Amino acid sequence: MTQHNHHHQDHQAHGEQPPHSRRGGDGDGHAGHDKHAGHSVAGFRDKFWLTLLLTIPTLIWSGMIQHWFDYTAPQFPGSVYIPAVFGTIVYFYGGWPFLHGGYHELRNRLPGMMTLISLAITVAFLYSALVTLGVVEGLDLWWELATLVAIMLLGHWIEMRSINQAQGALKELAKLLPDMAVRLDEAGGTKEVPVADLKLGDLLLIRPGASIPADGVVKEGTSAVNEAMITGESKPMDKSTGDRVIAGTVNGQGSLRIEVTGTGDETALAGIMRLVEQAQTSRSRAQALADRAAFYLTIIAIVSAAITAIVWPLLGRPWSFTIERVVTVLVIACPHALGLAIPLVTAISTTIGARNGLLVRDRRGLEEARLLNTVVFDKTGTLTLGSHRVVKTTAADGFTDDEVLRVAASVQRDAEHPIAQALMTSAKEHGIDVPMSQDFESMPGRGVRAVVEERSLHVGGPGLLRMLAVEPPETLRRAAEAAAADGQSATYLVEGDKVLAVFAIADAIRPESFDAVKRLHASGLEVVLLTGDSTAVANAVAKELDIDTVFAEVLPEDKVAKIEELQAQGKRVAMVGDGVNDAPALLTSDVGIAIGTGTDVAVEAGDVVLVRSDPRDVPAIIALSKATYRKMIQNLWWAAGYNIVAIPLAAGVLASWGILLQPALGAVLMSLSTIVVAINAQLLRRAVRST
């Protein structure tokens, strides 16, 4: 069993736990932003503004501020205690989230950012209270305490707002579903009912411009449906009888009647929401590194503060100076930016992926995608359309390709054979209007006959030619031989004793597959085709797409061995498949990429689900992985690196040269580092667009 297989099992084992309960043994208590549990963006906003109002009197009546700005605040009985009164209110009211969070961190033996902030404001509060009560001599720190709390609340408000905006994809997805649906009764009458009341099998009327309230199958009508919000595909998709529609998509100008096949939690939209939420709470290795760094930074800050508290009194500095240095060290070393560095990038990258039809199911898979050097594709339904098409038409002299396809499809119009469906589908895709046929007759093992526009025509394989005792022209004979060499079926159109055309029919290659392979090669990746089809068919597809390696005639249960064979050669392998027959191979690969179909997105085998079934999304996933990793590393270096300079400055190593950081300035610098990390994470959107 590979490492990838293990992490799938680990992930599933923890799947029932709420995000805030996912803790490791390496000090990863910052995972999932637990420090904000129970708080809202609006709550931090309101607390910040009220704390700021309470801070103003503290500043105005502060003796230090009056001295600096050379003014005298209004004096009245008790005015000397204004900084102490308002500072105390700020400590308990504005500082409560930090005190509460610090208590829980210490109780869980996972000291972190909240521990440092609560220590800083508590030291400042106790010292200032003792000075105000005359127990010790010195300068109080009420204004520093008040401004520190206000700035910290501002920083948390900005942070929570950034994360909330990044995670807004879930809220936007939830808004796609309408509240009401128009249900049809047996008599054809309509009744508007709540979406929650819909049941499987209900017949719904979808009016022009309306959102589709449930997954379903079109029973009547034609229209174009905008599925961009689900699949990322900007072009509206034509829908007619038998086509599937997705809840949350928007109907175009036509009217549709659909039969409900999925409601509530069973819809594709609900599946997407589950995957997005799961990805945003799943932990990556970079997050574990950030959590560990934050834990050690907390320990370093506490030790540095303790050394500062011991050294300065020994050097003859007053306690007011020492306490101020201790508070500044504790504040400036807060691993606030470290706590934000990875979760914000995680939320943004997951949102970017979801909006482009790339559903990240497991963060570790996305993280490892940047390391890939080999991509293995299943053939049917992945690189090919999964249904037969006319891949090449060769017409006899005097006839056009569209002309012979038109009449051949008409001959096969009433047949159920896959060849007939291939001709009809190809004619439809070419925009050819297929006429009605008459006197249809099936000849098992040979072909079919019908009258089209008063012409008696036959369509069939080599057996038909033998039955009719006709020989194709040389050009058509060579075309048929070339088709057979590529593992394709050769089907002939015959009128009387003349062969009018030969059609090469096969599982057609997706037009997007060419660009997908080209992009992967441009990125230096090896492309492998893994299929159960015959060697001739596999080689033909590989040759056309310029694929490097082919494994053909491989049974589903043997695909795992092929993935392990590539891994044994030291290759980092991604497997791209449909998530059903290919599930074992997807789990075994380093990164499993499951092909969705727009309506089947809850694929449990892959790390990533491609909603559009577009192979070009494979290089897009790798590009997103690389861009995401760059932002994570940049944020980690900035969030942790600035402390190398900041902590010594906060401790006062340059005090002899008159360079000192006040606690409030330390809070500003710490908050600025958080803002820099947040802005850098937001730039991921631009980085992804430019790839």
Side-chain angles (χ1 to χ4, degrees), residues 230-431:
I230 301 293
T231 66
E233 180 59 61
S234 58
K235 181 182 177 182
M237 304 300 292
D238 292 332
K239 301 292 182 181
S240 57
T241 303
D243 291 334
R244 299 178 68 85
V245 292
I246 310 170
T249 56
V250 180
N251 188 24
Q253 297 301 312
S255 178
L256 297 174
R257 283 170 169 77
I258 69 168
E259 180 182 331
V260 175
T261 59
T263 62
D265 289 341
E266 301 304 317
T267 62
L269 180 62
I272 291 174
M273 292 178 66
R274 282 193 297 272
L275 289 177
V276 172
E277 186 173 24
Q278 182 177 334
Q280 290 185 340
T281 56
S282 65
R283 286 173 48 76
S284 66
R285 290 188 177 87
Q287 178 63 60
L289 176 61
D291 293 338
R292 201 174 300 116
F295 176 77
Y296 289 131
L297 182 57
T298 301
I299 302 301
I300 291 171
I302 293 173
V303 172
S304 299
I307 293 173
T308 302
I310 294 170
V311 170
W312 283 120
L314 293 177
L315 295 176
R317 289 285 188 163
W319 274 106
S320 59
F321 177 88
T322 301
I323 296 300
E324 192 175 77
R325 296 299 95 222
V326 169
V327 169
T328 308
V329 167
L330 290 172
V331 168
I332 208 164
C334 284
H336 202 179
L338 268 175
L340 181 64
I342 303 304
L344 188 53
V345 174
T346 294
I348 291 173
S349 62
T350 305
T351 301
I352 291 171
R355 287 177 177 171
N356 289 278
L358 314 174
L359 298 181
V360 180
R361 180 175 171 270
D362 192 320
R363 292 293 314 174
R364 297 187 186 184
L366 177 61
E367 189 175 281
E368 290 182 5
R370 66 185 176 85
L371 302 172
L372 294 172
N373 51 33
T374 304
V375 177
V376 178
F377 284 98
D378 175 49
K379 182 183 77 69
T380 305
T382 302
L383 291 175
T384 64
L385 293 170
S387 58
H388 285 73
R389 301 287 197 281
V390 175
V391 295
K392 186 176 182 181
T393 300
T394 305
D397 293 340
F399 297 92
T400 66
D401 290 355
D402 283 358
E403 182 183 355
V404 294
L405 179 58
R406 173 178 176 271
V407 294
S410 179
V411 172
Q412 291 275 18
R413 185 166 190 148
D414 293 334
E416 294 294 332
H417 192 275
I419 297 297
Q421 295 175 6
L423 288 166
M424 286 296 297
T425 301
S426 297
K428 180 180 178 181
E429 291 177 348
H430 282 78

Side-chain angles (χ1 to χ4, degrees), residues 12 65 138 141 152 162 171 218 242 253 417 512:
Q12 291 164 355
I65 299 297
L141 302 173
M152 293 305 303
S162 296
K171 297 177 182 177
V218 177
Q253 297 301 312
H417 192 275
E512 306 88 358

Side-chain angles (χ1 to χ4, degrees), residues 21-306:
S21 68
R22 292 175 182 159
R23 298 186 180 275
D26 55 358
D28 58 344
H30 312 279
H33 269 265
D34 296 347
K35 60 180 177 289
H36 291 155
H39 299 291
S40 66
V41 176
F44 265 112
R45 178 198 63 204
D46 296 343
K47 192 174 283 288
F48 161 71
W49 285 115
L50 184 52
T51 299
L52 183 62
L53 289 175
L54 293 170
T55 299
I56 292 174
T58 311
L59 292 170
I60 292 174
W61 272 273
S62 168
M64 182 66 73
I65 299 297
Q66 293 181 62
H67 173 71
W68 283 350
F69 292 94
D70 193 23
Y71 73 93
T72 301
Q75 301 295 312
F76 51 85
S79 61
V80 68
Y81 294 110
I82 287 179
V85 172
F86 282 88
T88 300
I89 296 174
V90 166
Y91 171 74
F92 285 105
Y93 171 73
W96 176 249
F98 310 114
L99 297 171
H100 184 260
Y103 165 75
H104 282 284
E105 285 183 351
L106 292 175
R107 190 182 67 176
N108 293 327
R109 298 180 182 178
L110 293 169
M113 190 194 73
M114 292 300 199
T115 303
L116 293 183
I117 298 174
S118 58
L119 273 176
I121 62 176
T122 299
V123 168
F125 170 74
L126 292 176
Y127 174 75
S128 298
L130 292 175
V131 170
T132 301
L133 295 173
V135 177
V136 298
E137 293 184 3
L139 298 174
D140 61 61
L141 302 173
W142 292 118
W143 77 270
E144 288 96 333
L145 167 63
T147 52
L148 172 57
V149 172
I151 291 170
M152 293 305 303
L153 287 172
L154 175 62
H156 279 253
W157 173 27
I158 293 172
E159 176 186 350
M160 288 190 69
R161 188 178 174 187
S162 296
I163 293 177
N164 195 61
Q165 289 173 345
Q167 294 177 333
L170 284 177
K171 297 177 182 177
E172 292 304 314
L173 286 172
K175 292 177 183 176
L176 294 177
L177 276 180
D179 295 324
M180 305 295 288
V182 179
R183 185 163 59 193
L184 295 165
D185 56 29
E186 293 181 359
T190 61
K191 181 181 180 182
E192 197 167 18
V193 298
V195 170
D197 292 348
L198 295 179
K199 301 185 297 295
L200 298 183
D202 281 352
L203 193 63
L204 306 180
L205 171 64
I206 311 298
R207 295 189 172 107
S211 292
I212 296 174
D215 288 355
V217 176
V218 177
K219 290 298 182 181
E220 184 181 336
T222 59
S223 186
V225 176
N226 183 352
E227 298 181 342
M229 61 289 295
I230 301 293
T231 66
E233 180 59 61
S234 58
K235 181 182 177 182
M237 304 300 292
D238 292 332
K239 301 292 182 181
S240 57
T241 303
D243 291 334
R244 299 178 68 85
V245 292
I246 310 170
T249 56
V250 180
N251 188 24
Q253 297 301 312
S255 178
L256 297 174
R257 283 170 169 77
I258 69 168
E259 180 182 331
V260 175
T261 59
T263 62
D265 289 341
E266 301 304 317
T267 62
L269 180 62
I272 291 174
M273 292 178 66
R274 282 193 297 272
L275 289 177
V276 172
E277 186 173 24
Q278 182 177 334
Q280 290 185 340
T281 56
S282 65
R283 286 173 48 76
S284 66
R285 290 188 177 87
Q287 178 63 60
L289 176 61
D291 293 338
R292 201 174 300 116
F295 176 77
Y296 289 131
L297 182 57
T298 301
I299 302 301
I300 291 171
I302 293 173
V303 172
S304 299

Side-chain angles (χ1 to χ4, degrees), residues 548-568:
D548 305 299
T549 306
V550 176
F551 294 126
E553 301 179 21
V554 180
L555 296 174
E557 57 267 27
D558 295 331
K559 288 183 178 181
V560 169
K562 293 297 182 183
I563 297 295
E564 291 176 337
E565 179 182 323
L566 292 169
Q567 290 172 328

